[in-house]
Amino acid sequence: MRIGLTLKGSSCRALVLEGCAVISVAEEIQASSLAEALDAVLSALRLQFGNRITDVTADVGPVLAAGQPGDVVAVRISPRPPADEFHNTRLPPLIEPAVTRTVHVRGGHDLRGRPLAPLDLQAFLLELPSILAGGLRNVAITAVGSTASPEHETSIADAILSNNSDMRISISSDFYSSVFRDRDYTAVLNSALMESGEELAAMLEDAGRRHFPAATLSYARNDGGRAPLARLAVAPVHALRPEPAMAILGAATLGGLCDGEVVVCRDEGVSVGTVRGGLPIAHSLIRQGYEASLATNAAIVEPYTVNHPVRPDIPSVVADLRTSQDTPPDHGLIPTLPGVRDLSLIGCAATPLTAWIDRLEKVSGQAELQRVQHRAEEEASAAVVQLGASPTDTRIIESNVFAMPYGNPGIVRIRVRAAGGTSSSEEKTVAAQAVGATA
C-alpha cells in the first residue's frame, strides 16, 4: 500500500493506493500549522493500515510556490562582465529581488568544453571574505559553457565550501539548458528555495519515520517521478510544479495505460498529455513567455483542441474532473473515467523513482555515438538504483541523441531517462496490470 500526500499552506490531504485501486481517501485536514496537519493525517492512516504502508510520497509544490524565497548571492562566470546594464542577465520579477549581490568572475568554456578564459580564482578569493561575512548562506553559480564543462563552477563551489561548509550552493550545470539566462534563473531560484526544501524534508522525515518507520519516504517531481527526501533539500526546484504530471500519471494508473494519451477534462478546459513506459513524456524546460525558462524536466501538457489528431491505434483514457457532468465534455469526448477525483494524489501514490542524464558529448563517428549513449543509459539506471530502486526493477523510458546547431559538428546532446520502483508487490501489480491493458 502506498500513500500520496498533498501539502498546502497549513493543510494536508492523503490517499492510499493498493495496486491500481484507491482504498482510502482522507478528508483535507486543516490545522494551526502544516506539521500538525501532516501529523494528524499520518496518525489516522497508521491506525487504519499500520505496517502495511510501504511508500509515502508528498507533493510539496504548493508550499514551495507560496513560500518566501531566501536571499541569494549570484556568482556569474564569463570571459568579461556585461558591457552595460542592457546586457545584464535579467531574472523574472518574482525572483529578481532575491539576488542581493552579484559577483562576476573571469572564466567560462565554449561548446566543446575548451576554456574561453582561464578561471580567475584568485580574484574571487579576494571577494570571498566579504561574501561569507554578509551572513547569507545561499549562493548560485552560473558559468558560460557549463553544459560542456562544469569545471569552473565546481572550482568556485569548492573554494566557498572549503571556507564555510554550511553554505547552500546551487550550480547551473545541474540544470540543462543551452541558454545561460535559463540556467542562471534556475540556479538562483533553486538556491532561494533550498531553506524551504530543507525544512519540508525534515518535517516529512520526522512525521514519516514516527508513523511509518519501515516505509520509503519521497517527494513528487515535476517530471512525474519521485525522489528521496534528502534530494528535496538539494534540488527543490524539481518539486515546484509536479501536479500536471501527477494528474496524467493518476489517470494512466486508473485506466491501466502504459503507453498512450491521457485527456483530462476540467471546468476551465480540456488538456492532453502522453505517457510512455508508464510515465508522462517530459520536456526539459518550463517556458514562461518572454521571461527566462525554468530548466527542469516537466510533463508536457497541452490544450486539447478540435484539431487534435485522433489515432484509433493509440490507446487513451479520458478523465472527467468537471464539477457538473450533466453535459458531455467538449470535442465529442466520451469519458472512460467519469466522475474521478484526486488524480494528482493517485499519481503521487503510484509514481516511481526517476533519474535523468542530460549532457553534451563529443563524438567522432557512429560507433562512438553508440558507446556514449549506452554509457548514459547505464549511468541513468545506476542513478535510479542509488535513489533506492531495485537493480532488477529499472527501465529506460527515454534515450535520445540530438545534433547541436550553429556549426558544431561532433557535438551531440545525450538525453536519457530511467525509472524504477521498489521491490514491493504493489509496484509489480501496477506494472503487470498496465502491460496487460495495453497488450
Side-chain angles (χ1 to χ4, degrees):
M1 295 182 182
R2 309 179 70 167
I3 295 176
L5 295 171
T6 295
L7 308 182
K8 184 177 182 181
S10 58
S11 68
C12 180
R13 182 173 169 80
L15 175 146
V16 180
L17 194 70
E18 184 172 22
C20 290
V22 176
I23 60 173
S24 175
V25 180
E27 292 296 324
E28 183 171 350
I29 291 183
Q30 186 85 31
S32 59
S33 70
L34 181 58
E36 288 184 16
L38 174 64
D39 188 73
V41 167
L42 295 184
S43 178
L45 293 175
R46 181 190 62 193
L47 292 175
Q48 188 174 0
F49 298 104
N51 59 9
R52 288 180 290 169
I53 299 297
T54 60
D55 298 271
V56 180
T57 303
D59 173 0
V60 298
V63 182
L64 289 173
Q68 180 66 34
D71 291 338
V72 179
V73 175
V75 178
R76 293 170 178 150
I77 305 169
S78 61
R80 61 181 183 276
D84 49 44
E85 185 63 28
F86 178 78
H87 291 91
N88 261 319
T89 297
R90 300 293 298 179
L91 297 171
L94 290 176
I95 195 63
E96 189 172 25
V99 178
T100 60
R101 181 176 178 181
T102 301
V103 177
H104 176 264
V105 181
R106 187 169 183 262
H109 293 81
D110 66 10
L111 199 59
R112 294 180 176 271
R114 299 173 299 194
L116 293 169
L119 179 66
D120 195 350
L121 184 58
Q122 293 305 314
F124 176 74
L125 291 176
L126 294 177
E127 293 268 9
L128 185 54
S130 62
I131 295 174
L132 299 177
L136 295 183
R137 292 182 58 194
N138 305 322
V139 179
I141 305 171
T142 311
V144 169
S146 64
T147 51
S149 174
E151 176 188 348
H152 288 176
E153 288 185 348
T154 56
S155 295
I156 294 296
D158 289 343
I160 296 172
L161 292 173
S162 64
N163 284 271
N164 186 341
S165 60
D166 291 330
M167 299 292 282
R168 303 186 190 95
I169 296 181
S170 182
I171 60 176
S172 77
S173 54
D174 287 340
F175 313 101
Y176 185 87
S177 172
S178 59
V179 179
F180 180 96
R181 185 179 71 154
D182 294 345
R183 287 184 286 111
D184 184 71
Y185 164 53
T186 308
V188 167
L189 180 58
N190 191 70
S191 183
L193 294 175
M194 277 183 166
E195 184 175 1
S196 295
E198 288 177 359
E199 293 172 352
L200 283 168
M203 180 185 67
L204 286 163
E205 181 77 22
D206 176 66
R209 288 284 167 256
R210 195 158 10 94
H211 295 290
F212 302 106
T216 299
L217 307 177
S218 310
Y219 69 94
R221 289 159 49 105
N222 305 333
D223 69 337
R226 62 184 170 97
L229 289 180
R231 294 293 303 165
L232 181 57
V234 178
V237 74
H238 294 319
L240 194 56
R241 301 180 187 177
E243 193 276 336
M246 293 302 150
I248 293 174
L249 182 59
T253 300
L254 286 184
L257 186 68
C258 189
D259 295 279
E261 282 193 339
V262 173
V263 181
V264 179
C265 307
R266 305 178 191 269
D267 291 335
E268 57 269 26
V270 184
S271 61
V272 60
T274 304
V275 293
R276 179 187 298 146
L279 280 170
I281 290 180
H283 48 185
S284 58
L285 294 175
I286 298 177
R287 300 199 179 276
Q288 304 182 125
Y290 292 107
E291 295 184 351
S293 300
L294 193 62
T296 177
N297 290 295
I300 300 174
V301 182
E302 298 174 332
Y304 189 103
T305 69
V306 68
N307 297 317
H308 185 80
V310 177
R311 291 179 52 185
D313 58 320
I314 296 180
S316 65
V317 295
V318 180
D320 194 350
L321 275 64
R322 294 175 302 155
T323 304
S324 173
Q325 297 174 12
D326 296 335
T327 59
D330 294 338
H331 313 300
L333 292 167
I334 300 175
T336 56
L337 298 173
V340 295
R341 294 289 182 269
D342 304 308
L343 285 184
S344 296
L345 281 173
I346 296 170
C348 283
T351 176
L353 296 159
T354 55
W356 293 84
I357 299 295
D358 200 344
R359 65 189 180 213
L360 300 181
E361 292 274 8
K362 292 183 286 185
V363 297
S364 57
Q366 185 66 28
E368 187 175 1
L369 176 60
Q370 291 177 348
R371 281 197 299 272
V372 299
Q373 186 173 7
H374 179 66
R375 185 173 67 239
E377 291 173 0
E378 290 182 331
E379 291 178 16
S381 296
V384 175
V385 172
Q386 289 176 350
L387 293 177
S390 167
T392 60
D393 191 26
T394 63
R395 60 195 185 277
I396 299 298
I397 302 296
E398 171 186 338
S399 181
N400 290 312
V401 178
F402 305 93
M404 297 300 292
Y406 311 121
N408 288 286
I411 303 294
V412 296
R413 177 185 177 188
I414 304 288
R415 179 172 162 83
V416 177
R417 182 190 198 182
T422 66
S423 58
S424 65
S425 60
E426 287 85 359
E427 178 126 359
K428 293 180 180 178
T429 300
V430 172
Q433 291 182 6
V435 171
T438 58

